[in-house]
PDB file of all heavy atoms in Angstrom:
ATOM      1  N   GLU H  80      35.856  32.317  20.429  1.00  0.00           N
ATOM      2  CA  GLU H  80      34.656  33.168  20.470  1.00  0.00           C
ATOM      3  C   GLU H  80      34.846  34.319  21.467  1.00  0.00           C
ATOM      4  O   GLU H  80      34.464  35.451  21.186  1.00  0.00           O
ATOM      5  CB  GLU H  80      33.431  32.337  20.867  1.00  0.00           C
ATOM      6  CG  GLU H  80      32.984  31.378  19.775  1.00  0.00           C
ATOM      7  CD  GLU H  80      31.862  30.448  20.229  1.00  0.00           C
ATOM      8  OE1 GLU H  80      31.729  30.178  21.439  1.00  0.00           O
ATOM      9  OE2 GLU H  80      31.115  29.975  19.368  1.00  0.00           O
ATOM     10  N   VAL H  81      35.448  34.008  22.617  1.00  0.00           N
ATOM     11  CA  VAL H  81      35.681  35.063  23.620  1.00  0.00           C
ATOM     12  C   VAL H  81      36.639  36.095  23.046  1.00  0.00           C
ATOM     13  O   VAL H  81      36.445  37.300  23.182  1.00  0.00           O
ATOM     14  CB  VAL H  81      36.236  34.466  24.935  1.00  0.00           C
ATOM     15  CG1 VAL H  81      36.610  35.570  25.912  1.00  0.00           C
ATOM     16  CG2 VAL H  81      35.218  33.519  25.572  1.00  0.00           C
ATOM     17  N   LYS H  82      37.647  35.598  22.362  1.00  0.00           N
ATOM     18  CA  LYS H  82      38.623  36.523  21.774  1.00  0.00           C
ATOM     19  C   LYS H  82      37.959  37.425  20.729  1.00  0.00           C
ATOM     20  O   LYS H  82      38.205  38.636  20.685  1.00  0.00           O
ATOM     21  CB  LYS H  82      39.776  35.750  21.141  1.00  0.00           C
ATOM     22  CG  LYS H  82      40.783  36.725  20.603  1.00  0.00           C
ATOM     23  CD  LYS H  82      42.071  36.155  20.165  1.00  0.00           C
ATOM     24  CE  LYS H  82      42.949  37.324  19.754  1.00  0.00           C
ATOM     25  NZ  LYS H  82      43.984  36.930  18.845  1.00  0.00           N
ATOM     26  N   ALA H  83      37.107  36.805  19.925  1.00  0.00           N
ATOM     27  CA  ALA H  83      36.470  37.592  18.859  1.00  0.00           C
ATOM     28  C   ALA H  83      35.668  38.753  19.429  1.00  0.00           C
ATOM     29  O   ALA H  83      35.696  39.859  18.891  1.00  0.00           O
ATOM     30  CB  ALA H  83      35.570  36.687  18.012  1.00  0.00           C
ATOM     31  N   ILE H  84      34.954  38.513  20.525  1.00  0.00           N
ATOM     32  CA  ILE H  84      34.111  39.620  21.011  1.00  0.00           C
ATOM     33  C   ILE H  84      34.867  40.590  21.904  1.00  0.00           C
ATOM     34  O   ILE H  84      34.585  41.769  21.919  1.00  0.00           O
ATOM     35  CB  ILE H  84      32.826  39.125  21.732  1.00  0.00           C
ATOM     36  CG1 ILE H  84      33.132  38.256  22.952  1.00  0.00           C
ATOM     37  CG2 ILE H  84      31.907  38.423  20.789  1.00  0.00           C
ATOM     38  CD1 ILE H  84      31.888  38.048  23.828  1.00  0.00           C
ATOM     39  N   SER H  85      35.854  40.095  22.670  1.00  0.00           N
ATOM     40  CA  SER H  85      36.468  40.971  23.674  1.00  0.00           C
ATOM     41  C   SER H  85      37.884  41.386  23.315  1.00  0.00           C
ATOM     42  O   SER H  85      38.446  42.289  23.927  1.00  0.00           O
ATOM     43  CB  SER H  85      36.525  40.226  25.009  1.00  0.00           C
ATOM     44  OG  SER H  85      37.369  39.095  24.885  1.00  0.00           O
ATOM     45  N   GLY H  86      38.480  40.699  22.364  1.00  0.00           N
ATOM     46  CA  GLY H  86      39.876  40.962  22.042  1.00  0.00           C
ATOM     47  C   GLY H  86      40.812  40.279  23.039  1.00  0.00           C
ATOM     48  O   GLY H  86      42.029  40.303  22.871  1.00  0.00           O
ATOM     49  N   ASN H  87      40.265  39.674  24.073  1.00  0.00           N
ATOM     50  CA  ASN H  87      41.098  39.030  25.094  1.00  0.00           C
ATOM     51  C   ASN H  87      41.544  37.636  24.657  1.00  0.00           C
ATOM     52  O   ASN H  87      40.725  36.751  24.458  1.00  0.00           O
ATOM     53  CB  ASN H  87      40.344  38.894  26.427  1.00  0.00           C
ATOM     54  CG  ASN H  87      40.140  40.235  27.070  1.00  0.00           C
ATOM     55  OD1 ASN H  87      40.889  41.175  26.797  1.00  0.00           O
ATOM     56  ND2 ASN H  87      39.129  40.338  27.916  1.00  0.00           N
ATOM     57  N   ASP H  88      42.840  37.475  24.576  1.00  0.00           N
ATOM     58  CA  ASP H  88      43.381  36.196  24.135  1.00  0.00           C
ATOM     59  C   ASP H  88      43.582  35.315  25.366  1.00  0.00           C
ATOM     60  O   ASP H  88      44.683  35.190  25.871  1.00  0.00           O
ATOM     61  CB  ASP H  88      44.734  36.466  23.456  1.00  0.00           C
ATOM     62  CG  ASP H  88      45.074  35.336  22.513  1.00  0.00           C
ATOM     63  OD1 ASP H  88      44.312  34.363  22.460  1.00  0.00           O
ATOM     64  OD2 ASP H  88      46.123  35.449  21.847  1.00  0.00           O
ATOM     65  N   ILE H  89      42.518  34.714  25.874  1.00  0.00           N
ATOM     66  CA  ILE H  89      42.681  33.968  27.118  1.00  0.00           C
ATOM     67  C   ILE H  89      43.379  32.633  26.853  1.00  0.00           C
ATOM     68  O   ILE H  89      43.288  32.071  25.765  1.00  0.00           O
ATOM     69  CB  ILE H  89      41.335  33.785  27.856  1.00  0.00           C
ATOM     70  CG1 ILE H  89      40.342  32.971  27.036  1.00  0.00           C
ATOM     71  CG2 ILE H  89      40.721  35.123  28.211  1.00  0.00           C
ATOM     72  CD1 ILE H  89      39.011  32.808  27.725  1.00  0.00           C
ATOM     73  N   GLN H  90      44.117  32.194  27.847  1.00  0.00           N
ATOM     74  CA  GLN H  90      44.979  31.009  27.673  1.00  0.00           C
ATOM     75  C   GLN H  90      44.279  29.747  28.167  1.00  0.00           C
ATOM     76  O   GLN H  90      43.455  29.795  29.068  1.00  0.00           O
ATOM     77  CB  GLN H  90      46.278  31.172  28.493  1.00  0.00           C
ATOM     78  CG  GLN H  90      47.076  32.412  28.177  1.00  0.00           C
ATOM     79  CD  GLN H  90      47.527  32.430  26.714  1.00  0.00           C
ATOM     80  OE1 GLN H  90      48.037  31.426  26.220  1.00  0.00           O
ATOM     81  NE2 GLN H  90      47.301  33.537  26.043  1.00  0.00           N
ATOM     82  N   ILE H  91      44.677  28.617  27.549  1.00  0.00           N
ATOM     83  CA  ILE H  91      44.228  27.319  28.056  1.00  0.00           C
ATOM     84  C   ILE H  91      45.472  26.614  28.586  1.00  0.00           C
ATOM     85  O   ILE H  91      46.520  26.622  27.933  1.00  0.00           O
ATOM     86  CB  ILE H  91      43.616  26.456  26.938  1.00  0.00           C
ATOM     87  CG1 ILE H  91      42.488  27.214  26.237  1.00  0.00           C
ATOM     88  CG2 ILE H  91      43.089  25.135  27.496  1.00  0.00           C
ATOM     89  CD1 ILE H  91      41.880  26.487  25.055  1.00  0.00           C
ATOM     90  N   ALA H  92      45.378  26.020  29.758  1.00  0.00           N
ATOM     91  CA  ALA H  92      46.531  25.326  30.337  1.00  0.00           C
ATOM     92  C   ALA H  92      46.078  24.013  30.951  1.00  0.00           C
ATOM     93  O   ALA H  92      44.912  23.884  31.340  1.00  0.00           O
ATOM     94  CB  ALA H  92      47.160  26.210  31.414  1.00  0.00           C
ATOM     95  N   PRO H  93      46.985  23.033  31.013  1.00  0.00           N
ATOM     96  CA  PRO H  93      46.608  21.792  31.681  1.00  0.00           C
ATOM     97  C   PRO H  93      46.319  22.065  33.153  1.00  0.00           C
ATOM     98  O   PRO H  93      46.904  22.983  33.734  1.00  0.00           O
ATOM     99  CB  PRO H  93      47.847  20.895  31.540  1.00  0.00           C
ATOM    100  CG  PRO H  93      48.842  21.645  30.761  1.00  0.00           C
ATOM    101  CD  PRO H  93      48.370  23.033  30.526  1.00  0.00           C
ATOM    102  N   MET H  94      45.445  21.274  33.711  1.00  0.00           N
ATOM    103  CA  MET H  94      45.085  21.460  35.120  1.00  0.00           C
ATOM    104  C   MET H  94      46.349  21.392  35.964  1.00  0.00           C
ATOM    105  O   MET H  94      47.215  20.538  35.716  1.00  0.00           O
ATOM    106  CB  MET H  94      44.130  20.333  35.523  1.00  0.00           C
ATOM    107  CG  MET H  94      43.463  20.540  36.842  1.00  0.00           C
ATOM    108  SD  MET H  94      42.368  21.977  36.838  1.00  0.00           S
ATOM    109  CE  MET H  94      40.992  21.388  35.868  1.00  0.00           C
ATOM    110  N   SER H  95      46.487  22.285  36.925  1.00  0.00           N
ATOM    111  CA  SER H  95      47.670  22.218  37.785  1.00  0.00           C
ATOM    112  C   SER H  95      47.255  22.612  39.190  1.00  0.00           C
ATOM    113  O   SER H  95      46.153  23.102  39.413  1.00  0.00           O
ATOM    114  CB  SER H  95      48.762  23.152  37.271  1.00  0.00           C
ATOM    115  OG  SER H  95      48.533  24.439  37.768  1.00  0.00           O
ATOM    116  N   SER H  96      48.153  22.378  40.107  1.00  0.00           N
ATOM    117  CA  SER H  96      47.795  22.732  41.484  1.00  0.00           C
ATOM    118  C   SER H  96      48.040  24.220  41.747  1.00  0.00           C
ATOM    119  O   SER H  96      47.650  24.753  42.767  1.00  0.00           O
ATOM    120  CB  SER H  96      48.579  21.868  42.464  1.00  0.00           C
ATOM    121  OG  SER H  96      49.933  21.910  42.090  1.00  0.00           O
ATOM    122  N   ASN H  97      48.727  24.880  40.792  1.00  0.00           N
ATOM    123  CA  ASN H  97      48.952  26.320  40.964  1.00  0.00           C
ATOM    124  C   ASN H  97      47.711  27.092  40.553  1.00  0.00           C
ATOM    125  O   ASN H  97      47.549  27.424  39.383  1.00  0.00           O
ATOM    126  CB  ASN H  97      50.091  26.813  40.051  1.00  0.00           C
ATOM    127  CG  ASN H  97      51.360  26.091  40.356  1.00  0.00           C
ATOM    128  OD1 ASN H  97      51.535  25.610  41.466  1.00  0.00           O
ATOM    129  ND2 ASN H  97      52.231  25.986  39.362  1.00  0.00           N
TER     130      ASN H  97
END
Side-chain angles (χ1 to χ4, degrees):
E80 289 174 335
V81 174
K82 182 170 184 203
I84 60 167
S85 64
N87 290 336
D88 203 356
I89 63 181
Q90 304 299 313
I91 305 176
M94 192 65 73
S95 85
S96 49
N97 301 335

